[in-house]
Amino acid sequence: MNDIEQLIRATLQGDSAAFGRLVQKYQDRLYNTMLHVVGDRDECLDVVQEAFVQAYLNLASFEGQSAFYTWLYRIAFNVAATHRRKKKPVQSVEAVYHESGREIPDRGPAPETPLEQEERCRRVREAIATLNEEHRAILVLREIDGCCYETIAEILDVPIGTVRSRLHRARLMLREKLKEAYADLL
C-alpha cells in the first residue's frame, strides 16, 4: 500500500489530518493547473478549495481505478465548469499573469534578450487566453502540466481519441493565433 492509499484509508477512518496531508501534497499543482484553466486568481482559489471539499465529502466513492490526483483534477474541472456557468466572463489570462507574476514555462530555445523573452511569453499567454475553454484546458493539461493523454482523458471524462483530436486542433488554433500576433513583426 502506497502513501496516498494510506492517507485515504486514514481519512476514511476519521483522521482529518491525513486528508490535510493529501491537500498539502496536491494543492500547489492543482492551483497552478486551475489558474491556467480558470484564468482568475480569486476564482481559482475558490475552485481549488471547493474541489478539496468535494473530494473530502466524496472520498468514500474513490475506487482507486485511477490515480488520486486524476480523480481530484476531474472534480476540480467539474467545479470550474459549474463556476463558469454561474459567473460572468472571467479576467484575461494576460491580466492574471500580470497580477500573479507567474509565467508560462518556455521550453523553446532561449531568446537573445530578456525583453524578447518577455514579449514572446506575453504573446503566447494572450493567444492561449483567446482559445475556447475545451481547447485551452487540453493545452494546459498537456503542455503546461505535462499530463499524458490517458490522464487528460480521465480528468476531462472524454475518450483518448477526443483528447488527441482536441489537442491537435488546439495546437493548430494556437499556431494561427501566434501567426496573427507576430504578423506585425513580418
Side-chain angles (χ1 to χ4, degrees):
M1 185 180 309
N2 67 34
D3 291 344
I4 302 305
E5 291 170 346
Q6 290 175 347
L7 291 173
I8 291 169
R9 187 174 300 234
T11 301
L12 291 172
Q13 292 174 351
D15 182 0
S16 60
F19 189 75
R21 290 192 293 278
L22 284 171
V23 170
Q24 287 175 338
K25 181 168 180 58
Y26 294 109
Q27 67 185 355
D28 290 342
R29 186 173 178 195
L30 186 62
Y31 174 83
N32 288 330
T33 299
M34 291 287 87
L35 182 61
H36 290 291
V37 171
V38 173
D40 177 74
R41 226 172 44 178
D42 293 332
E43 185 176 356
C44 179
L45 290 170
D46 291 344
V47 166
V48 170
Q49 181 178 2
E50 188 172 335
F52 278 116
V53 168
Q54 291 299 318
Y56 182 79
L57 294 173
N58 295 298
L59 191 58
S61 70
F62 176 67
E63 298 173 353
Q65 301 288 335
S66 62
F68 177 75
Y69 74 86
T70 301
W71 181 76
L72 178 62
Y73 277 15
R74 188 165 178 190
I75 290 171
F77 273 97
N78 289 338
V79 169
T82 301
H83 273 248
R84 278 189 304 276
R85 284 191 296 268
K86 292 180 182 177
K87 294 194 100 172
K88 60 183 180 186
V90 296
Q91 185 179 14
S92 74
V93 172
E94 174 65 27
V96 171
Y97 286 118
H98 185 278
E99 283 180 16
S100 69
R102 295 180 188 265
E103 292 291 329
I104 296 174
D106 184 3
R107 295 183 178 106
E112 294 178 10
T113 67
L115 185 57
E116 288 174 340
Q117 182 179 15
E118 184 178 317
E119 177 64 15
R120 186 167 47 157
C121 286
R122 182 188 66 76
R123 288 178 188 230
V124 170
R125 286 190 309 267
E126 287 175 352
I128 290 173
T130 65
L131 297 177
N132 65 37
E133 179 182 318
E134 71 182 17
H135 291 106
R136 187 173 58 240
I138 292 278
L139 268 177
V140 168
L141 286 169
R142 178 68 181 159
E143 305 299 343
I144 296 175
D145 206 36
C147 293
C148 67
Y149 291 168
E150 291 81 8
T151 301
I152 296 169
E154 288 181 46
I155 291 170
L156 299 179
D157 194 25
V158 296
I160 290 177
T162 302
V163 169
R164 290 174 195 220
S165 65
R166 283 185 189 169
L167 183 59
H168 176 73
R169 180 74 178 129
R171 287 173 175 159
L172 291 175
M173 292 166 65
L174 182 60
R175 181 181 304 148
E176 288 304 312
K177 299 287 184 183
L178 291 172
K179 280 182 185 177
E180 292 170 15
Y182 282 98
D184 62 335
L185 299 177
L186 300 176

